[in-house]
């Protein structure tokens, strides 16, 4: 077990290049005062198939690359780090379940699992790639280890191995990587402290989003230890005869050139402008993004922050990933606001705000209203069937309808 005194000074960044099944070293991330700075390795710059890890942030050039203003490390590398849950698991591992100080970024990168979101990994060596992989475990073991971490309880050696599956993924909710012969999933777990069935609510939202015509990750429901588990199929992995290919990704926070501390300034209009100038199929992508904002409002997902939007990056082009983390949030009253600004400084969870921003998405008022009307109709039409698929009781349906889903505030 790594001690809390362990302090890293550098990490080597490895990348799966497009179409490849083995990683190559791209460069070095090193401490520079209170920041982490990156430079490409000479061998990477000399490769015929090298691509920038993300431009304009890390263009293919020699020397230490300057950080954008206000950044403490390159944002596209921060995208590959664990978030709240993964860091909690890492702290649990370090301290054996006891309270511990926060981990620094290099510790998070070098001690989390290697099967992280996107196509990057971090190593102590520039020449030998040693993946931090976990032994295969069951959903029941993952569910039990999750509960024990939340409750601060000791875990067995078998469960200690299981928790590594949850160290490399973003987000605040407990989750873990699960792999089959031809698919990879992010498993999201229920907690005994949940005030409502969050896992089933997300399943319903993801299925309804597909039915209204949005591009979303496929989902299915499983059970482990009599608790529901949401299985979200990973879209950043491609199974091939030679092995798994990994797709490079960047978050909207990176696209918007915002540090974590300034995420509150993230704006859908600014993201739309980036899409117009830098994305493949901008008109189609803008329509999709507008539809996602509308759906977030209709399903009560106010956790639509800039790390919950992402784009594939192939070294030259950007393309919106399927939607993920469409999770209806608990709310006491009707009033609510989205995590990103929709029109100007307005982020109220209301359809009229979407309509006022339609021009930013290359939509006229009629087209915007058609998208809204279509979604409302499809949600109402498919509600009972999708709730049946989720196994929701009548009481659970009544608790979600009109509160998270189709809240009257959205229509004011």
């Amino acid at each position: 077990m790594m001690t809390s005194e362990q302090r890293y000074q550098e990490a080597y960044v490895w990348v799966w290049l497009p179409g490849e099944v083995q990683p190559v070293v791209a460069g070095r991330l090193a401490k520079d005062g209170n920041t982490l700075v990156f430079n490409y390795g000479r061998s990477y710059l000399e490769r015929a198939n090298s691509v920038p890890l993300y431009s304009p942030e890390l263009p293919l050039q020699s020397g230490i690359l300057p950080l954008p203003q206000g950044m403490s490390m390159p944002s596209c590398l921060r995208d590959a780090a664990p978030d709240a849950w993964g860091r909690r698991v890492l702290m649990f591992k370090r301290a054996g379940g006891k309270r511990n100080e926060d981990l620094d970024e290099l510790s998070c990168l070098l001690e989390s699992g290697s099967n992280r979101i996107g196509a990057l990994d971090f190593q102590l060596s520039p020449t030998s790639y040693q993946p931090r992989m976990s032994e295969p475990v069951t959903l029941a073991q993952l569910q039990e280890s999750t509960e024990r971490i939340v409750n601060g309880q000791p875990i067995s050696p078998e469960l200690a191995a299981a928790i590594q599956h949850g160290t490399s993924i973003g987000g605040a909710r407990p989750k873990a990587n699960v792999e089959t012969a031809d698919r990879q999933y992010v498993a999201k777990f229920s907690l005994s402290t949940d005030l409502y069935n969050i896992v089933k609510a997300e399943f319903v939202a993801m299925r309804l989003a597909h039915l209204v015509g949005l591009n979303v990750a496929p989902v299915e429901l499983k059970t482990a230890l009599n608790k529901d588990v949401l299985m979200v199929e990973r879209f950043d992995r491609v199974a091939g005869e030679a092995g798994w290919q990994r797709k490079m990704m960047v978050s909207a926070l990176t696209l918007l050139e915002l540090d974590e501390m300034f995420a509150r300034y993230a704006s859908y209009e600014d993201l739309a402008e980036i899409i117009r100038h830098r994305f493949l199929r901008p008109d189609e992508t803008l329509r999709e993004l507008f539809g996602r904002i509308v759906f977030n409002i209709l399903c009560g997902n106010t956790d639509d922050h800039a790390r919950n939007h992402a784009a594939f990056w192939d070294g030259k082009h950007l393309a919106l990933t399927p939607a993920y983390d469409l999770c209806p949030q608990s709310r006491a009253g009707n009033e609510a606001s989205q995590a990103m600004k929709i029109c100007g400084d307005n982020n109220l969870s209301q359809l009229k705000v979407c309509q006022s921003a339609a021009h930013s998405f290359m939509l006229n008022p009629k087209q915007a209203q058609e998208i809204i009307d279509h979604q409302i109709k499809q949600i109402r039409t498919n509600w009972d069937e999708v709730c049946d698929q989720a196994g929701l009781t009548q009481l659970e349906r009544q608790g979600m309808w009109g509160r998270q889903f189709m809240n009257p505030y959205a229509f004011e």
Side-chain angles (χ1 to χ4, degrees):
M1 181 179 293
M2 200 70 67
T3 68
S4 60
E5 285 75 31
Q6 177 72 48
R7 288 291 181 266
Y8 303 99
Q9 298 300 313
E10 63 183 13
Y12 290 92
V13 182
W14 290 66
V15 60
W16 279 254
L17 290 167
E20 300 294 329
V21 297
Q22 296 294 333
V24 297
V25 66
R28 176 174 174 264
L29 184 67
K31 281 191 173 181
D32 180 20
N34 293 323
T35 65
L36 295 174
V37 294
F38 176 81
N39 66 278
Y40 286 106
R42 183 187 303 171
S43 63
Y44 187 76
L45 292 173
E46 292 173 351
R47 294 183 66 91
N49 64 340
S50 65
V51 301
L53 300 186
Y54 173 63
S55 58
E57 187 179 39
L58 296 180
L60 273 181
Q61 61 190 50
S62 60
I64 293 176
L65 299 174
L67 288 168
Q69 186 174 0
M71 296 285 187
S72 58
M73 69 178 291
S75 186
C76 65
L77 303 185
R78 174 61 181 81
D79 284 340
D83 281 328
W85 175 254
R87 289 165 193 251
R88 183 173 182 178
V89 175
L90 289 172
M91 288 173 63
F92 187 95
K93 287 183 66 181
R94 271 198 174 196
K98 300 181 179 68
R99 300 287 294 178
N100 196 19
E101 78 280 359
D102 288 340
L103 296 171
D104 65 289
E105 288 298 333
L106 283 177
S107 297
C108 288
L109 295 172
L110 287 166
E111 294 181 25
S112 52
S114 291
N115 191 13
R116 60 188 75 244
I117 301 300
L120 302 179
D121 194 22
F122 304 87
Q123 298 277 307
L124 287 169
S125 169
T127 56
S128 174
Y129 181 75
Q130 300 292 329
R132 295 177 296 280
M133 306 302 284
S134 306
E135 293 296 319
V137 291
T138 64
L139 283 179
Q141 288 174 309
L142 292 169
Q143 178 71 59
E144 184 179 354
S145 65
T146 293
E147 289 283 356
R148 287 186 168 273
I149 290 170
V150 168
N151 296 322
Q153 297 172 327
I155 58 176
S156 66
E158 292 79 13
L159 293 180
I163 64 174
Q164 182 72 3
H165 285 266
T167 59
S168 58
I169 316 173
R173 291 279 305 175
K175 54 179 71 73
N177 285 305
V178 175
E179 183 176 329
T180 65
D182 60 348
R183 283 180 173 81
Q184 292 194 34
Y185 298 89
V186 172
K188 298 186 173 185
F189 298 98
S190 302
L191 293 175
S192 55
T193 54
D194 288 341
L195 298 177
Y196 65 101
N197 198 317
I198 294 175
V199 163
K200 284 187 174 180
E202 184 169 355
F203 172 86
V204 170
M206 293 286 281
R207 279 289 174 89
L208 286 172
H210 169 71
L211 291 169
V212 304
L214 297 176
N215 179 20
V216 299
V219 293
E220 55 186 281
L221 277 174
K222 301 280 188 182
T223 57
L225 301 180
N226 296 316
K227 288 188 171 66
D228 297 301
V229 182
L230 181 70
M231 307 291 287
V232 185
E233 188 173 335
R234 291 184 63 165
F235 43 75
D236 60 338
R237 297 291 182 265
V238 179
E241 291 184 5
W244 289 99
Q245 298 174 25
R246 304 190 179 193
K247 302 184 77 169
M248 299 172 74
M249 284 173 52
V250 289
S251 72
L253 200 63
T254 294
L255 296 174
L256 293 165
E257 299 181 12
L258 291 173
D259 184 74
E260 211 83 35
M261 299 295 291
F262 299 98
R264 64 187 180 278
Y265 296 113
S267 159
Y268 280 114
E269 288 183 310
D270 291 342
L271 181 55
E273 184 174 355
I274 293 169
I275 289 171
R276 286 197 296 272
H277 292 102
R278 300 190 55 213
F279 272 60
L280 296 170
R281 302 180 295 279
D283 289 354
E284 176 186 324
T285 304
L286 287 169
R287 186 181 182 90
E288 170 75 17
L289 182 59
F290 182 83
R292 293 184 189 185
I293 303 169
V294 170
F295 186 80
N296 281 333
I297 289 173
L298 291 175
C299 81
N301 175 33
T302 54
D303 191 35
D304 56 335
H305 56 79
R307 283 209 188 278
N308 276 345
H309 300 278
F312 294 123
W313 166 252
D314 64 3
K316 293 182 180 179
H317 305 108
L318 291 161
L320 200 64
T321 71
Y324 55 96
D325 277 351
L326 300 181
C327 188
Q329 303 295 304
S330 179
R331 58 207 281 183
N334 282 346
E335 291 188 15
S337 55
Q338 299 305 121
M340 287 175 58
K341 300 173 183 177
I342 301 170
C343 186
D345 287 331
N346 195 337
N347 68 337
L348 295 179
S349 305
Q350 295 184 307
L351 297 173
K352 66 182 181 184
V353 182
C354 293
Q355 290 168 317
S356 62
H359 62 280
S360 295
F361 299 86
M362 308 295 284
L363 298 169
N364 61 41
K366 183 174 181 291
Q367 291 170 320
Q369 191 60 51
E370 286 173 348
I371 291 171
I372 292 170
D373 291 343
H374 171 75
Q375 290 200 15
I376 292 170
K377 179 182 178 182
Q378 291 301 313
I379 290 171
R380 285 178 171 151
T381 300
N382 293 287
W383 172 254
D384 284 330
E385 181 182 349
V386 173
C387 287
D388 287 344
Q389 293 171 3
L392 287 175
T393 66
Q394 201 60 41
L395 192 61
E396 287 173 321
R397 298 177 199 208
Q398 291 170 358
M400 291 181 190
W401 186 264
R403 184 172 297 173
Q404 288 110 321
F405 292 88
M406 308 291 276
N407 190 292
Y409 183 68
F411 303 91
E412 289 182 7

